Amino acid sequence: MYPSTNRPWNGLTVIQAKHTISYNSKFNDPDFFSLTSETATITTEAKKIKKLIDRDGIDNYIIFSNRKLPANVNEKIKTYLSDETGLAKENIGLIGIESM
């Protein structure tokens, strides 16, 4: 029941796994999330999410990764994905190594 038993997501959910073999990687590493890089993982995923919304009508999106997720980066990525895709921030989930 994500994100909680009181308010679980409804509708179509896409779950992504984005793992790395690099040690001590973070969600805010430039190859994963950068507002200036067209090839960063989150940037390319935002384009795919938008297509899924337009084609399939997805309602929720969540990424699991074995990277560390600093609290301030969590909100920045959710805001970016929301702005780029139209999904509400509360319908975007980021799960880092701390939560797995």
Side-chain angles (χ1 to χ4, degrees), residues 13-51:
T13 300
V14 170
I15 300 169
Q16 288 282 317
K18 299 293 181 185
H19 295 315
T20 180
I21 59 170
S22 299
Y23 178 73
N24 206 26
S25 295
K26 298 179 180 87
F27 271 72
N28 59 334
D29 289 340
D31 68 318
F32 197 74
F33 176 64
S34 171
L35 295 175
T36 60
S37 173
E38 289 295 315
T39 60
T41 300
I42 295 295
T43 305
T44 58
E45 283 303 309
K47 294 172 187 167
K48 294 175 187 177
I49 296 166
K50 181 66 176 144
K51 287 180 184 176

Side-chain angles (χ1 to χ4, degrees), residues 42-97:
I42 295 295
T43 305
T44 58
E45 283 303 309
K47 294 172 187 167
K48 294 175 187 177
I49 296 166
K50 181 66 176 144
K51 287 180 184 176
L52 288 170
I53 292 169
D54 294 342
R55 188 184 71 210
D56 301 321
I58 71 165
D59 302 294
N60 312 294
Y61 182 81
I62 189 167
I63 295 176
F64 287 84
S65 182
N66 62 338
R67 295 171 178 266
K68 293 180 182 176
L69 179 59
N72 63 331
V73 175
N74 183 48
E75 285 304 309
K76 286 180 184 177
I77 293 174
K78 283 184 176 184
T79 298
Y80 172 79
L81 288 173
S82 180
D83 291 347
E84 293 296 311
T85 67
L87 278 179
K89 282 175 44 174
E90 57 267 10
N91 294 88
I92 299 169
L94 305 173
I95 306 294
I97 196 165

